[in-house]
Every structure is written in C-alpha cells, then in structure tokens.
C-alpha cells in the first residue's frame, strides 16, 4: 500500500481555518492546504482526488461513504483526543488521561479503582491501582465515577437510568471524555431526585452546549464547561505541531514503522519507503492556500497503484487502520462556496500511549 508517491504530496487540514502552525513543519516535504469544511461535501475535488495525508479536529465526521470519496488518502491524523468521528471499530482504554487522573486522586488519598475490559493484565499492578471485573462493581463501590473512554457503538449511553441505579446513593459523576457516554435525560432526573449528588461535564450530547436548552437546563448541582477544559494557547499549538510531525514522519518514512505510536501494525501491509521529496519540484506559493483557491492543474498527486483505502488513522500520534474495498469513483461536483463558520472547540491531545 506504500507505493510510489509524487514528489510533492498534498496534505489537507480538513476542518481547520488556517495552517500557519502546520506549514513550517511540512512545507519542505508537502503542499499544505486548509479546507474549513464541516462535511466532505464542502471539500474541493482536488483534495478528494489528490490528498495523501489529512489532519482533522472533531468538527468533521468521516463515515465509510466519506472515506470512499478520497482517492489517494493514506493517513489521517486526528488532532486531539478520540476518533469517534471516524468510521473505525475502536476500543477505549484507561489511556493517558485516565491514568493521570487516577494517580493524582491517589496522591490526595483516594482509594482508586478502575474498570477496563480492553486493557491488558498487569497494568493495575504497575500503577498501584485496584481493578474490578465489571462495570457494575465499579459503580457499586464508587463515591465518584469519572469517565475516560472513547465513544463507540458498545458504550453509547453507558451511564443511563439503569446504570445510575447501580451507583451509590449520592455519588458524583464526572465526564470529560465524550458526551454520548451519558444519557443526559437520565442524569437530569437523577440530579433532581438526589440519586446523584452532583455532576461535572465538559462534554455534551449536543455541542456547542447551551444551558438554556436540552434536558440539563433545570438540573441542580451541575457544573458544565463547553468542551474546553483542555484549552490553553500553548496546548493548542503543541497538539497541532505534534500532528504535523506525525504526517511528516509518514511522508518521509515508512507506514507504519516510522509513526510515533502505531497501534495496529498487524492490520497494515509490510512497510515500504515512501518516495523521497524532490527539492526541484516545489511550489511554496501554494502552501497555506484555502481549498477554494487552488490554481487548476498546478498541484498534481498521481496515485498509481493506490487503492481506495485509508492505510492509517492517527489520533494525533496513533495510527489505526481503516481498510475499504476498492470502488469506482464518479466525478465529484465542484465544492460549494466557502462560508464563514464559528471556530469549533478543540480537543486536547491525550491519545498517545
């Protein structure tokens, strides 16, 4: 799958409004552009046809049908945490954030237990934590439950009316992972009845979050933040820089061997070297361009031998395979006019293990 590459590959920031952070890292090995798109219908035909690498936040969603529109895509880097906006079967685990919370709570004298059906045996001993075998055990024995897992088809509304009734009377709930993990109607009712004493949410089923709308608007003892608990100016820059470096490692090296922390090597083909960059074929004037301003015919990324498949999906520094069957690609309609959209909240990078 790591076949010959044009000496000047195209890398696109799909749902970003500028690429000023990424361009200094990538400009000598790739043409970098931003799309400011909220769906693949807003992505220019040239990007769909020729982009070899893509960076994305959580604003845009890539379903199977969306991924099949890309003809040359080899790697996706998710800027931030989680990858539930990409159609891939994934399993959550304790992860860096969960471990960080557990160790800090332990330092303050908490007795910390955790439940994770996917984490390998022995981690609990290395961290000095107690592991329980079922979610029911965790809920029954906890005074405060904090969630640190990705969202998938198996854990949607993990916290619901049934599981809330398994929690200790007057327990606390914290969710900084994904809004879909909590049934907000059930949570609101439990807060009103006092079954849950208090809750703190940084993520919500519907975002951007508004206190004036939704089932939580009248709930007591509730702290909500707008999916921005991670944010600082420096954190925003650092996660974008690390994502760009991962794209650079993919372009200049081998997939998956050159990636910082590829978790699905067994699903990828044997690594071969991507074609090195030819300094003579450089179009620096295109770097940083918006997708709607591409000069026709200037950028060319020939994809000979590349199937309609995404070889790696990287949530910042994690490569995950997403193989798709080869399909015939009909011509794409021109992209609609670019509209100004409010800047979306960004997730902090925490997926590197």
């Amino acid at each position: 799958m790591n076949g010959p590459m044009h000496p000047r590959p195209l890398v696109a920031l799909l749902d970003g409004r500028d690429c000023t952070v990424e361009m200094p890292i990538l400009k000598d090995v790739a043409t970098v552009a931003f799309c400011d798109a909220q769906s693949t219908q807003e992505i220019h035909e040239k990007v769909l046809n020729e982009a070899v690498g893509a960076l994305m936040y959580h604003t845009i969603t890539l379903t199977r049908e969306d991924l099949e529109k890309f003809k040359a895509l080899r790697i996706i880097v998710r800027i931030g945490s989680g990858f539930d906006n990409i159609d891939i079967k994934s399993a959550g685990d304790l992860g860096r954030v969960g471990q960080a919370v557990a160790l800090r709570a332990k330092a303050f004298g908490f007795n910390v237990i955790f439940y994770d059906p996917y984490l390998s045996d022995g981690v609990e001993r290395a961290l000095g934590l107690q592991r329980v075998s079922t979610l029911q055990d965790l809920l029954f024995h906890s005074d405060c439950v904090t969630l640190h897992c990705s969202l998938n088809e198996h854990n949607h509304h993990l916290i619901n009316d049934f599981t809330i009734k398994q929690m200790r009377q007057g327990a606390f709930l914290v969710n900084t992972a994904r809004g879909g993990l909590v049934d907000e109607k059930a949570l609101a009712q439990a807060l009103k009845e006092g079954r849950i004493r208090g809750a703190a949410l940084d993520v919500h089923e519907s975002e951007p979050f508004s206190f004036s709308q939704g089932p939580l608007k009248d709930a007591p003892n509730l702290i909500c933040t707008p999916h921005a608990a991670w944010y600082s100016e420096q954190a925003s820059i650092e996660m974008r820089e690390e994502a760009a470096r991962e794209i650079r490692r993919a372009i200049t090296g081998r997939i998956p061997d050159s990636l910082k922390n590829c978790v699905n090597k067994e699903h990828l083909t044997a690594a071969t070297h991507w074609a090195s960059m030819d300094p003579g074929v450089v179009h620096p004037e295109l770097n940083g361009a918006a997708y709607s301003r591409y000069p026709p015919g200037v950028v060319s990324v020939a994809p000979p031998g590349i199937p309609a498949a995404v070889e790696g999906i990287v949530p910042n520094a994690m490569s995950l395979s997403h193989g798709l069957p080869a399909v015939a690609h009909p011509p794409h309609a021109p992209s609609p006019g670019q509209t100004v959209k409010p800047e979306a909240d960004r997730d902090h990078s925490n997926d590197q293990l």
Side-chain angles (χ1 to χ4, degrees):
M1 302 287 184
N2 291 309
M5 179 185 294
H6 188 276
R8 194 69 186 173
L10 173 61
V11 172
L13 179 55
L14 301 184
D15 53 348
R17 301 182 67 184
D18 72 84
C19 49
T20 55
V21 174
E22 295 79 10
M23 192 168 62
I25 297 172
L26 294 170
K27 64 182 180 180
D28 63 323
V29 297
T31 295
V32 186
F34 63 93
C35 300
D36 191 20
Q38 293 188 347
S39 72
T40 53
Q41 293 179 337
E42 300 179 19
I43 296 178
H44 196 276
E45 180 181 4
K46 182 168 287 289
V47 174
L48 294 175
N49 290 342
E50 300 177 4
V52 175
L55 300 108
M56 60 183 290
Y57 294 99
H58 75 277
T59 310
I60 191 170
T61 297
L62 297 182
T63 66
R64 182 183 182 88
E65 291 73 22
D66 293 318
L67 289 166
E68 288 175 347
K69 294 179 182 179
F70 291 91
K71 292 184 178 180
L73 197 59
R74 295 185 178 187
I75 189 168
I76 296 174
V77 173
R78 169 70 164 85
I79 306 175
S81 64
F83 37 89
D84 44 276
N85 55 330
I86 305 171
D87 184 7
I88 181 173
K89 292 187 179 298
S90 59
D93 60 37
L94 188 59
R96 286 182 22 173
V97 173
Q99 291 182 28
V101 170
L103 294 177
R104 283 164 174 76
K106 184 180 177 183
F108 279 98
F110 283 81
N111 177 29
V112 182
I113 63 175
F114 74 92
Y115 166 68
D116 190 330
Y118 305 107
L119 205 61
S120 59
D121 293 337
V123 174
E124 63 274 16
R125 292 189 292 274
L127 296 175
L129 304 176
Q130 180 183 349
R131 187 174 191 168
V132 295
S133 58
T134 67
L135 177 62
Q136 183 179 13
D137 287 339
L138 178 84
L139 299 176
F140 182 78
H141 290 99
S142 298
D143 296 302
C144 178
V145 175
T146 176
L147 305 178
H148 303 283
C149 51
S150 59
L151 180 66
N152 56 49
E153 65 272 23
H154 303 297
N155 61 17
H156 181 258
H157 283 181
L158 181 73
I159 302 300
N160 52 53
D161 184 66
F162 177 75
T163 52
I164 287 174
K165 290 178 180 177
Q166 298 177 33
M167 295 174 66
R168 285 186 173 183
Q169 179 71 25
F172 292 86
L173 176 68
V174 178
N175 184 15
T176 59
R178 285 293 181 265
L181 296 171
V182 176
D183 182 343
E184 293 183 350
K185 291 182 179 179
L187 174 60
Q189 189 63 33
L191 286 167
K192 293 174 183 178
E193 296 175 356
R195 286 186 287 147
I196 291 183
R197 187 174 181 180
L201 309 176
D202 183 52
V203 289
H204 312 276
E205 289 198 82
S206 179
E207 295 182 359
F209 175 73
S210 173
F211 259 119
S212 63
Q213 300 176 358
L216 295 171
K217 62 181 180 180
D218 298 322
N221 302 323
L222 176 65
I223 298 174
C224 291
T225 51
H227 206 157
W230 66 273
Y231 183 80
S232 72
E233 193 65 29
Q234 187 60 34
S236 176
I237 294 173
E238 286 178 357
M239 73 176 185
R240 291 177 63 179
E241 289 176 340
E242 183 55 38
R245 292 188 189 101
E246 189 71 350
I247 285 281
R248 184 183 180 92
R249 284 188 285 268
I251 292 174
T252 60
R254 301 170 182 267
I255 291 181
D257 294 345
S258 297
L259 300 181
K260 187 172 182 179
N261 194 6
C262 180
V263 299
N264 66 333
K265 290 184 179 181
E266 67 275 14
H267 299 297
L268 302 178
T269 58
T272 57
H273 190 65
W274 285 27
S276 59
M277 301 300 103
D278 181 359
V281 187
V282 176
H283 305 289
E285 70 280 3
L286 295 182
N287 268 339
Y291 73 91
S292 59
R293 296 198 296 269
Y294 272 122
V298 175
V299 181
S300 175
V301 181
I306 302 175
V310 177
E311 295 182 11
I313 293 179
V314 181
N316 207 10
M318 220 187 243
S319 179
L320 300 162
S321 68
H322 194 304
L324 301 174
V327 295
H329 292 274
H332 296 287
S335 173
Q338 188 178 20
T339 57
V340 178
K341 295 180 279 294
E343 184 70 15
D345 295 332
R346 302 308 191 202
D347 297 327
H348 181 47
S349 165
N350 57 25
D351 275 321
Q352 300 175 10
L353 299 182

